[in-house]
Amino acid sequence: MNTLQIQGGSGGKSGKMVTQSNKEFMFICFLVSLWYSSNIGVILLNKYLLSNYGFRFPIFLTMCHMAACAVFSYISIVFFKIVPQQMIKSRSQFLKIATLSIVFCGSVVGGNISLRYLAVSFNQAVGATTPFFTAVFAYFATLKREAWITYAALVPVVAGVVIASGGEPGFHLFGFIMCLSATAARAFKSVLQGILLSSEGEKLNSMNLLLYMSPIAVVLLLPAALIMEPNVIDVTLSLGKEHKFMGVLLFLNSATAYAANLTNFLVTKHTSALTLQVLGNAKGAVAVVISILIFRNPVTFIGMAGYTVTVMGVVAYGETKRRFR
């Protein structure tokens, strides 16, 4: 009798553990689907607005994204307590955050400008070279060397983009330069963040960092948009009259930009670094396929082969980084 009772109790606990594990798995799948939807959605909406819709103002669009991130970050942290609010403790820390915000602005603006001229598929191929730039900046900033095999894994990352560039039917030099610059700026920001906010007292999680960077970005981008895109207000109002959903589309695009940051933070929190890397690589491939289906941009075998080589190089780089720490 006692033995049966003990076994029954163990079975009940085991059943509860399985149920809990299933719930956690379902929750992570839900987060990943939101992460994919928001990340791919914002890229496709950016492309649609900047190339197909006649809204050719990447700086103003980036400012709208940053304004949405500032408002939604404040609401989610202060009111909904998604993460504990971390306060800025010194002028030095504020200046470091402002520096990161400038680099962040450059990265996002460059990426949005490139979408005016390049297909999303090629944009994603170039963006996949982020690990190469990260490794280069990390070496020059910290003089810390990785194992030689780690650097060897970066060769196909770069070679793939060279191959893809040669096979890209809609190759545009200025768009390519802007995309490459945006990718380099994104890598530089991650390295700079590790250096500037390295002390325990100054470290901020990504959501709090977004909370403080976004308003600074808006202050920087608003005058830049008005000076470099002087007719943005008139054209936006004109498009609003011509297309009744213009305002909704712009708001949805900006809200999706915040959702991409939020879901990236949550997926990072609930999965391992290796899982995140695999999911990130797959996300780029999914974005390429969906963009080709939606925008019908021509692709070649050489272009797709180049992108595949780049992704394989990124996977190899991540694996060597993990094994040869």
Side-chain angles (χ1 to χ4, degrees), residues 126-141:
V126 177
T129 62
T130 302
F132 168 76
F133 289 104
T134 303
V136 171
F137 289 134
Y139 174 75
F140 285 109

Side-chain angles (χ1 to χ4, degrees), residues 21 67 128 139 159 199 233 317:
S21 177
Y139 174 75
S199 66
I233 303 298
Y317 173 75

Side-chain angles (χ1 to χ4, degrees), residues 2 49 55 74 77 80 84 93 110-111 136-137 149 162 166 175 205 220 229 260 268 278 285 290 312 317:
N2 290 338
L49 280 167
F55 186 80
Y74 185 82
I77 292 174
F80 290 104
Q93 187 184 17
V136 171
F137 289 134
I149 195 168
V162 173
N205 63 49
L220 292 170
E229 300 168 342
T268 304
V278 172
I290 293 175
M312 289 174 65
Y317 173 75

Side-chain angles (χ1 to χ4, degrees), residues 43 47 54 62 69 103 107 116 124 160 172 177 233 257 274 301 315 321:
I43 293 169
K47 177 64 177 176
T62 305
C69 286
V103 178
S107 170
R116 279 190 60 185
Q124 290 293 293
H172 191 285
I177 291 171
I233 303 298
L274 180 60
F301 173 77
V315 172
K321 281 273 287 183

Side-chain angles (χ1 to χ4, degrees), residues 28-267:
I28 291 173
C29 288
F30 175 68
L31 282 180
V32 170
S33 65
L34 286 180
W35 182 43
Y36 271 44
S37 301
S38 56
N39 271 266
I40 296 170
V42 76
I43 293 169
L44 297 179
L45 280 170
N46 285 349
K47 177 64 177 176
Y48 178 69
L49 280 167
L50 294 167
S51 293
N52 299 59
Y53 201 76
F55 186 80
R56 304 184 185 281
F57 306 106
I59 299 175
F60 184 78
L61 183 63
T62 305
M63 191 207 71
C64 291
H65 289 181
M66 293 299 101
C69 286
V71 173
F72 288 130
S73 292
Y74 185 82
I75 293 170
S76 62
I77 292 174
V78 175
F79 292 103
F80 290 104
K81 313 289 184 185
I82 288 179
V83 292
Q85 185 176 7
Q86 298 170 285
M87 306 304 294
I88 296 177
K89 297 177 181 177
S90 65
R91 184 183 177 188
S92 171
Q93 187 184 17
F94 172 78
L95 291 174
K96 291 175 181 178
I97 293 170
T99 303
L100 288 173
S101 185
I102 293 169
V103 178
F104 182 54
C105 283
S107 170
V108 179
V109 170
N112 285 339
I113 291 173
S114 72
L115 283 171
R116 279 190 60 185
Y117 304 98
L118 301 178
V120 172
S121 52
F122 186 56
N123 179 279
Q124 290 293 293
V126 177
T129 62
T130 302
F132 168 76
F133 289 104
T134 303
V136 171
F137 289 134
Y139 174 75
F140 285 109
T142 63
L143 297 179
K144 182 182 176 182
R145 290 189 178 182
E146 303 281 356
W148 69 268
I149 195 168
T150 304
Y151 291 118
L154 290 171
V155 174
V157 173
V158 178
V161 170
V162 173
I163 294 169
S165 300
E168 175 58 33
F171 182 83
H172 191 285
L173 182 59
F174 178 70
F176 175 70
I177 291 171
M178 293 309 299
C179 191
L180 206 62
S181 301
T183 304
R186 186 162 57 245
F188 183 58
K189 176 192 165 287
S190 66
V191 173
L192 196 64
Q193 184 176 329
I195 296 170
L196 294 182
L197 301 178
S198 58
S199 66
E200 286 300 321
E202 291 186 335
K203 279 184 180 177
L204 297 173
N205 63 49
S206 60
M207 295 311 296
N208 274 277
L209 185 59
L210 185 66
L211 171 67
Y212 295 120
M213 283 200 309
S214 301
I216 297 171
V218 172
V219 171
L220 292 170
L221 290 169
L222 180 57
L226 294 175
I227 293 169
M228 299 176 72
E229 300 168 342
N231 60 334
V232 62
I233 303 298
D234 293 335
V235 173
T236 303
L237 292 174
S238 176
L239 284 171
K241 292 176 182 177
E242 187 179 343
H243 307 281
K244 60 181 179 179
F245 293 111
M246 172 65 192
V248 175
L249 195 61
L250 202 55
F251 174 79
L252 180 64
N253 181 241
S254 301
T256 307
Y258 171 73
N261 284 283
L262 176 62
T263 52
N264 183 71
F265 170 77
L266 293 174
V267 170

